[in-house]
Amino acid sequence: MPVDVQTHGERHAAPNKTIAVRVRYLGARHPFEDPKAPAGENLAELKPRVLDFFKLKEGPVDGGTKVYVFAMDGLVLTDLNTTLGVLAKEHHELKLDLLERFEQG
């Protein structure tokens, strides 16, 4: 069941702050890594870069739809407007998982 991570406080970090982002996808040998991702970048902006790195596509498949979602510490992140800085809190790195979902209907 998706869980929405609460993002109280400031939604955008300082424009020059960067975060080391690592996204793990179980179907790949190597993770996506961006050592200097802008803290103000949101998940919606990050997602196309991650999907391209793993050569993944969302869309219709066999009577359903394949979608990819980010998760952090086992919780699905549903708000794609959340920035990397908010998710990383005061840390300088952020580790995410990319999960594949197949939705029927």
Side-chain angles (χ1 to χ4, degrees), residues 8-9 22 29-30 35 41 53 59 62 70 75 83 85 90 92:
H8 298 295
R22 181 179 183 167
R29 283 185 183 204
H30 302 287
E41 182 176 27
F53 175 83
D62 299 327
F70 289 111
L75 301 175
T83 64
E90 298 299 319
H92 298 287

Side-chain angles (χ1 to χ4, degrees), residues 71-75 95-97:
M72 184 172 76
D73 298 328
L75 301 175
K95 293 180 181 177
L96 301 170
D97 293 316

Side-chain angles (χ1 to χ4, degrees), residues 18-90:
T18 61
I19 298 187
V21 176
R22 181 179 183 167
V23 181
R24 187 177 61 124
Y25 176 61
L26 290 179
R29 283 185 183 204
H30 302 287
F32 168 88
E33 294 180 311
D34 184 348
K36 294 189 180 209
E41 182 176 27
N42 65 33
L43 292 175
E45 296 165 325
L46 176 67
K47 190 174 183 180
R49 296 194 302 129
V50 171
L51 292 179
D52 186 54
F53 175 83
F54 291 122
K55 297 180 178 21
L56 300 171
K57 300 246 188 252
E58 293 183 304
V61 177
D62 299 327
T65 304
K66 187 182 289 190
V67 295
Y68 294 90
V69 295
F70 289 111
M72 184 172 76
D73 298 328
L75 301 175
V76 172
L77 304 174
T78 59
D79 182 1
L80 293 181
N81 290 316
T82 304
T83 64
L84 303 179
V86 167
L87 291 172
K89 298 180 181 163
E90 298 299 319

